Amino acid sequence: MAMKVFITGASSGIGEALAYEYAKRHPGKDTIIGMVARRSEHLQALQQTLETSYSVKCAVYALDVRDGEALSSAAQHFIQHYGAPNVVIGSAGVSSGTLTENAEDTNAFKAVMDINVIGLVNTFQPFIHAMHLAASSGQSAQLVGIASVAGIRGLPGAGAYSASKAAAIAYLESLRVEMLHHNIAVTTIAPGYIRTPMTDINTYKMPFLMDVDIAAHKFVNAIVRKRRFVVIPWQMGWVARLLRLIPPVLWDKLAKNAPHKPRIKV
């Protein structure tokens, strides 16, 4: 069955794994995979692999999701050449340890928020009109945002990342209701720990760590089922439920000495 999917953050980690998963599920020339990332050489290598191994068509766009004009141009190119996508996945994201007390971390706060939140807006906005028209004609249309369990409670040393993912969850919930009028489904995926370059730098224990290819398979299953909100792996779903129930005074005691995410340049 033909599939048109557009994925940001496709040069590594979850985005790359999702591109592979869609190519595996929908091999053949009728499948179009749009891929966005900042690293052109990685995108081109991925394009060659997917087109050679699975006979899919790939359209690559080397850009930063903070650049709304560039993303809009990429979206218009994709729509003009291939039509409205069935699925648009906002997977681009960054993570860095941050401390408000450090003035030099202010730029990291801004970068994390801009990429993880505004990047989603920039990704979805230019597709909505075309997807609405396609949905009116019976085509499946769906927007997918990759959030995180880290958005459930504020984690010490990860204020920017936790805040960005909390904002992403709230934004996607608002968007889901708004898109009901356009017949466009919206899915929020909140992963726990997934084995990617983003988590490879963590020096602390990561419970229920999941390999990225397995995670991508589960993500696409959730997308196919049009889940509104899902935590993967399921064990982290129970952790998320418990996190919501912990009163602030207890959370402060539990989290006070938690390990901090490494500080990296973003």
Side-chain angles (χ1 to χ4, degrees), residues 20 23 27-28 44-58:
Y20 270 105
Q44 291 173 2
L46 180 58
Q47 176 184 19
Q48 183 175 0
T49 299
L50 295 183
E51 291 185 343
T52 300
S53 300
Y54 302 101
S55 300
V56 299
K57 171 64 179 176
C58 295

Side-chain angles (χ1 to χ4, degrees), residues 146-165:
I146 306 300
S148 172
V149 170
I152 304 299
R153 298 297 295 257
L155 303 176
Y161 187 68
S162 292
S164 73
K165 292 305 183 179

Side-chain angles (χ1 to χ4, degrees), residues 4-265:
K4 292 174 288 185
V5 58
F6 189 92
I7 305 169
T8 66
S11 64
S12 67
I14 290 172
E16 180 183 27
L18 286 169
Y20 270 105
E21 182 66 23
Y22 273 103
K24 292 174 185 177
R25 292 194 185 209
H26 303 277
K29 61 182 180 180
D30 290 334
T31 293
I32 313 296
I33 303 178
M35 301 186 296
V36 168
R38 289 181 284 187
R39 298 180 294 177
S40 176
E41 67 280 6
H42 287 74
L43 284 178
Q44 291 173 2
L46 180 58
Q47 176 184 19
Q48 183 175 0
T49 299
L50 295 183
E51 291 185 343
T52 300
S53 300
Y54 302 101
S55 300
V56 299
K57 171 64 179 176
C58 295
V60 300
Y61 307 95
L63 58 87
D64 190 317
V65 295
R66 289 173 288 188
D67 189 338
E69 290 187 4
L71 252 177
S72 181
S73 295
Q76 292 309 311
H77 178 275
F78 188 94
I79 293 167
Q80 289 170 6
H81 286 79
Y82 312 112
N86 302 101
V87 180
V88 175
I89 304 176
S91 181
V94 293
S95 173
S96 176
T98 49
L99 290 171
T100 302
E101 66 200 66
N102 295 331
E104 62 268 27
D105 284 0
T106 301
N107 287 336
F109 268 90
K110 186 177 188 304
V112 171
M113 294 297 293
D114 284 349
I115 293 170
N116 293 358
V117 184
I118 303 304
L120 286 176
V121 181
N122 290 341
T123 298
F124 297 147
Q125 191 279 326
F127 284 108
I128 289 175
H129 178 68
M131 293 179 76
H132 170 54
L133 293 177
S136 299
S137 300
Q139 175 178 304
S140 177
Q142 190 170 5
L143 305 174
V144 181
I146 306 300
S148 172
V149 170
I152 304 299
R153 298 297 295 257
L155 303 176
Y161 187 68
S162 292
S164 73
K165 292 305 183 179
I169 289 170
Y171 162 66
L172 290 162
E173 185 167 52
S174 298
L175 184 67
R176 187 178 72 239
V177 179
E178 293 167 2
M179 290 299 102
L180 293 175
H181 300 288
H182 298 286
N183 297 315
I184 299 173
V186 176
T187 293
T188 303
I189 299 176
Y193 291 111
I194 308 299
R195 195 185 305 277
T196 67
M198 186 182 293
T199 57
D200 286 343
I201 65 171
N202 292 344
T203 57
Y204 47 82
K205 183 178 180 181
M206 294 176 282
F208 312 118
L209 180 65
M210 178 176 282
D211 288 338
V212 70
D213 55 338
I214 296 174
H217 181 80
K218 293 180 180 296
F219 287 11
V220 176
N221 284 346
I223 293 168
V224 170
R225 294 170 60 190
K226 289 186 167 57
R227 295 285 300 273
R228 290 174 172 82
F229 179 91
V230 60
V231 177
I232 294 172
W234 66 266
Q235 295 95 329
M236 290 301 291
W238 285 105
V239 172
R241 292 182 179 90
L242 290 173
L243 288 176
R244 290 191 182 100
L245 297 175
I246 297 175
V249 64
L250 180 56
W251 175 253
D252 290 353
K253 292 180 180 179
L254 292 173
K256 181 179 180 180
N257 296 316
H260 287 193
K261 182 176 287 292
R263 297 169 67 201
I264 61 172
K265 185 177 180 180

